Amino acid sequence: ELWDWFAKHGDQIKDAKGFKANWLVKQVGKRFTAAFPQLVFQCGPRGDGIWTFEVSADGIEDQIPEVIRVVNAAPQIPGWEIVKFRQPADVGSIQIGGLVLSATTIRYDGRLVEQKAAVYLYLPGYSRERHDQLVGACFILLDGLLGEYAVMKVIHDIEFKPIDQAPPESKPLQSLRSDLEGLGLDLKAP
């Protein structure tokens, strides 16, 4: 039912503005949640006239097979690309509680453990009291930098620490993708 409805209304979603756009996205949300309650989605323009509809596990590794199943079963819809997982994208920076977090303000170092990366992230303004607030922002940045699938499958462990504990060999977070690829790790979703 979701994909049939979406195929009929996909152009309306792309063309809608204001109240109608909000209403249509809510209609997609209702149908998507009814069909796939453990998953989430986001959609938007890709920049070349095509829009993407990303089906996401919302960072829950156990849901990877379901995302793959749902996307593989989706029909071709003209003007849309239905993709597995949140794709890498330029997130820029996130302002949270007076702090600016970005791939240039966060530093990292790490090590390989059985072909997965264990990563230490060093954050400006990090404290135990702000842990939950800052960690959520970090996962948004990591999903943007690496893609959701890579964060779930390639990153084995993440620890968060204050920026003043960053060792001299730490690098800006923006280097993480190229460093992981340089180690031969595959960051692409199946």
Side-chain angles (χ1 to χ4, degrees), residues 2 4 25 33 38 53 60 66 98 113 141 147 161 170 180 187:
L2 166 71
D4 291 338
V25 170
T33 301
Q38 303 301 320
F53 188 98
I60 301 169
E66 180 69 357
V113 177
L141 291 168
K161 299 182 178 200
S170 68
L180 292 173
L187 305 181

Side-chain angles (χ1 to χ4, degrees), residues 102-124:
S102 72
T104 58
T105 63
I106 297 171
R107 299 197 62 83
Y108 90 93
D109 72 347
R111 64 192 188 304
L112 275 182
V113 177
E114 298 177 9
Q115 287 304 103
K116 290 191 174 192
V119 177
Y120 298 94
L121 296 181
Y122 302 95
L123 313 177

Side-chain angles (χ1 to χ4, degrees), residues 68-84:
I68 293 168
R69 185 191 70 74
V70 167
V71 172
N72 287 347
Q76 294 288 322
I77 299 173
W80 287 86
E81 180 183 19
I82 301 170
V83 297
K84 302 172 194 112

Side-chain angles (χ1 to χ4, degrees), residues 10-187:
D11 285 338
Q12 291 176 1
I13 293 167
K14 293 192 307 186
D15 295 338
K17 306 277 187 254
F19 175 77
K20 185 169 184 171
N22 290 338
W23 182 83
L24 285 166
V25 170
K26 284 182 184 177
Q27 295 306 307
V28 174
K30 281 188 216 175
R31 286 168 172 77
F32 186 88
T33 301
F36 315 112
Q38 303 301 320
L39 305 178
V40 297
F41 76 95
Q42 62 187 30
C43 61
R46 192 170 70 187
D48 60 357
I50 303 294
W51 280 45
T52 58
F53 188 98
E54 295 176 344
V55 178
S56 167
D58 207 20
I60 301 169
E61 191 172 350
D62 291 345
Q63 294 301 320
I64 288 173
E66 180 69 357
V67 169
I68 293 168
R69 185 191 70 74
V70 167
V71 172
N72 287 347
Q76 294 288 322
I77 299 173
W80 287 86
E81 180 183 19
I82 301 170
V83 297
K84 302 172 194 112
F85 311 105
R86 291 185 195 112
Q87 300 297 299
D90 182 14
V91 176
S93 63
I94 298 174
Q95 289 190 308
I96 187 164
L99 294 172
V100 176
L101 296 177
S102 72
T104 58
T105 63
I106 297 171
R107 299 197 62 83
Y108 90 93
D109 72 347
R111 64 192 188 304
L112 275 182
V113 177
E114 298 177 9
Q115 287 304 103
K116 290 191 174 192
V119 177
Y120 298 94
L121 296 181
Y122 302 95
L123 313 177
Y126 178 83
S127 66
R128 280 276 162 227
E129 297 77 33
R130 298 186 85 180
H131 177 84
D132 292 342
Q133 182 184 44
L134 297 178
V135 166
C138 284
F139 276 104
I140 292 169
L141 291 168
L142 284 168
D143 281 355
L145 185 65
L146 304 176
E148 177 187 21
Y149 181 81
V151 173
M152 291 186 293
K153 293 302 284 183
V154 175
I155 305 294
H156 163 65
D157 190 27
I158 303 174
E159 287 191 40
F160 301 90
K161 299 182 178 200
I163 192 84
D164 61 3
Q165 292 181 17
E169 66 273 10
S170 68
K171 297 180 180 181
L173 186 60
Q174 67 189 11
S175 303
L176 180 60
R177 182 178 189 83
S178 61
D179 288 350
L180 292 173
E181 289 173 335
L183 293 170
L185 297 175
D186 184 9
L187 305 181

